């Protein structure tokens, strides 16, 4: 407890996680495999950045040494209402353990999603769109690495025949075609988006509205800015683009929490109680009426 004093008082809670049985490792590896994933998970749960506030190390189990680093600092108290989707008690130790087991599989994507979920991005809307759409593609690829558009053998044969057909042409043309055919087996971007939407279909189908139209809108927005067919954002497109970005923010956050073991029914209930989520759906009907309108 802090205070009470002339500025008031507050009650705070510290949660310590004791990790035992670690193999000899560097701090960088411990941070990558345990610390960052756990702080990311808490951020995804509550919708607010939760960073490491203290680290203590022991060799004999009795004497503890406090580790000092520039990024370790006391967490500030929060007085505003959080967009809390889950707590660690909802996930239970089983869910937390499952999350840590998926660190290698999910790679560097969860911290990026957590940062956007906590609204820590300070970039332009167009840049935020490009980052979120890229993460969406990467997340689907990591969750479903086995999905292909064509069999690898078929793609190899196609590449072989196409390159043979232009073998007598300029080498630059051959190099361009070889590059274009490199990812022939991978699913298209709209397909990946629909796959992500399917993951949350039972918990929050309204996030993506009419899925086919939503996937087309997201894909079109991404292509405009990724391939520079659009200039700077004009005022008439702000609501539309903001809706696309916000839908990805909620979608990716929900997917990762489901990956951590949050039950779909719990997620449905929590989303219903979050004012920020309800506001997103209200604004979405105006921003993308063909996707979210009645």
């Amino acid at each position: 407890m802090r205070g009470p004093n002339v500025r008031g008082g507050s009650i705070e809670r510290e949660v310590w996680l004791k990790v035992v049985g670690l193999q000899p490792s560097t701090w960088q590896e411990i941070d990558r495999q345990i610390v960052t994933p756990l702080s990311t998970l808490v951020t995804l749960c509550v919708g607010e950045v939760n960073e490491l506030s203290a680290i203590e190390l022991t060799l004999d189990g009795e004497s503890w040494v406090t580790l000092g680093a520039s990024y370790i600092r006391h967490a500030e108290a929060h007085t505003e209402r959080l967009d809390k989707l889950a707590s660690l008690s909802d996930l239970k130790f089983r869910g937390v353990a499952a999350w840590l087991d998926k660190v290698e599989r999910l790679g560097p994507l969860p911290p990026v999603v957590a940062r956007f979920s906590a609204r820590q991005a300070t970039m332009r809307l167009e840049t935020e769109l490009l980052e979120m759409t890229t993460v969406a593609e990467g997340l689907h690829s990591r969750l479903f690495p086995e999905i292909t558009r064509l069999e690898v053998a078929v793609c190899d044969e196609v590449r072989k025949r196409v390159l043979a057909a232009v073998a007598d042409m300029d080498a630059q043309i051959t190099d361009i075609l070889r590059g274009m055919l490199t990812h022939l087996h991978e699913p298209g971007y709209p397909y990946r988006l629909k796959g992500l939407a399917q993951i949350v279909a039972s918990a929050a189908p309204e996030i993506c509205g009419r899925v086919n139209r939503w996937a087309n809108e997201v894909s079109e927005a991404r292509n405009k800015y990724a391939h520079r067919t659009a200039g700077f954002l004009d005022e008439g497109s702000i609501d539309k683009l903001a809706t696309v970005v916000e839908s990805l923010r909620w979608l990716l956050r929900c997917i990762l929490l489901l990956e951590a073991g949050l039950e779909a029914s719990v997620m449905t209930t929590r989303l219903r109680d979050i004012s920020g989520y309800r506001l997103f759906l209200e604004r979405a009907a105006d921003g993308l009426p063909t996707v979210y309108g009645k």
Side-chain angles (χ1 to χ4, degrees):
M1 173 179 286
R2 288 187 176 185
N5 52 43
V6 292
R7 295 191 300 174
S10 64
I11 298 177
E12 300 178 3
R13 182 179 64 173
E14 289 185 339
V15 178
W16 286 84
L17 181 68
K18 186 176 182 180
V19 182
V20 299
L22 285 176
Q23 296 298 318
S25 181
T26 63
W27 168 250
Q28 286 74 15
E29 280 299 300
I30 295 174
D31 182 35
R32 183 180 69 84
Q33 296 179 356
I34 299 175
V35 176
T36 293
L38 285 176
S39 62
T40 294
L41 181 58
V42 175
T43 299
L44 290 169
C45 284
V46 302
E48 185 72 29
V49 172
N50 277 259
E51 299 174 319
L52 194 65
S53 59
I55 307 169
E56 293 185 355
L57 305 176
T58 182
L59 295 177
D60 57 12
E62 295 182 1
S63 300
W64 292 83
V65 177
T66 300
L67 180 66
S70 60
Y71 55 83
I72 301 174
R73 56 183 181 274
H74 184 79
E76 295 296 327
H78 299 292
T79 58
E80 71 276 10
R81 180 181 177 87
L82 301 179
D83 286 343
K84 183 177 178 181
L85 259 179
S87 63
L88 294 184
S89 61
D90 293 320
L91 304 178
K92 304 180 176 58
F93 279 114
R94 180 174 61 253
V96 176
W99 176 257
L100 293 177
D101 285 341
K102 295 177 180 178
V103 168
E104 298 298 334
R105 179 187 177 196
L106 296 175
L109 302 180
V112 181
V113 177
R115 177 167 58 90
F116 278 104
S117 298
R119 305 182 186 280
Q120 291 296 297
T122 57
M123 59 188 68
R124 292 179 62 91
L125 189 58
E126 308 97 305
T127 308
E128 189 174 0
L129 168 76
L130 289 174
E131 187 162 358
M132 293 291 278
T133 51
T134 301
V135 170
E137 183 175 27
L139 182 58
H140 183 274
S141 178
R142 287 179 175 271
L143 292 177
F144 306 103
E146 73 285 354
I147 293 180
T148 58
R149 179 163 46 183
L150 294 171
E151 293 183 4
V152 175
V154 173
C155 293
D156 289 341
E157 183 64 23
V158 170
R159 277 191 290 268
K160 179 180 177 181
R161 294 191 184 189
V162 171
L163 293 177
V166 298
D168 59 342
M169 300 182 71
D170 188 276
Q172 184 180 11
I173 295 176
T174 303
D175 290 340
I176 292 173
L177 286 173
R178 183 180 289 110
M180 293 175 64
L181 295 170
T182 299
H183 304 287
L184 189 61
H185 65 288
E186 295 185 0
Y189 190 68
Y191 180 92
R192 291 193 185 279
L193 291 173
K194 294 172 190 175
L196 294 177
Q198 185 61 36
I199 297 175
V200 300
S202 61
E206 65 279 358
I207 287 181
C208 301
R210 298 177 181 87
V211 174
N212 288 339
R213 295 181 182 180
W214 171 81
N216 289 336
E217 291 285 356
V218 176
S219 183
E220 180 183 347
R222 171 183 181 260
N223 290 337
K224 279 184 178 180
Y225 291 98
H227 301 299
R228 301 181 182 178
T229 60
F232 287 107
L233 182 63
D234 60 272
E235 188 173 345
S237 301
I238 291 177
D239 289 344
K240 181 177 181 179
L241 200 62
T243 301
V244 169
V245 170
E246 195 69 5
S247 69
L248 288 170
R249 192 194 313 276
W250 286 105
L251 173 66
L252 299 180
R253 180 185 178 189
C254 287
I255 288 175
L256 290 178
L257 286 176
L258 290 173
E259 283 292 310
L262 183 64
E263 294 182 5
S265 58
V266 174
M267 177 173 290
T268 301
T269 302
R270 296 288 167 74
L271 284 171
R272 193 181 301 128
D273 294 335
I274 295 177
S275 58
Y277 182 70
R278 297 196 303 270
L279 183 60
F280 152 64
L281 293 178
E282 291 174 7
R283 291 177 173 174
D286 295 326
L288 284 175
T290 59
V291 176
Y292 296 97
K294 295 182 179 179

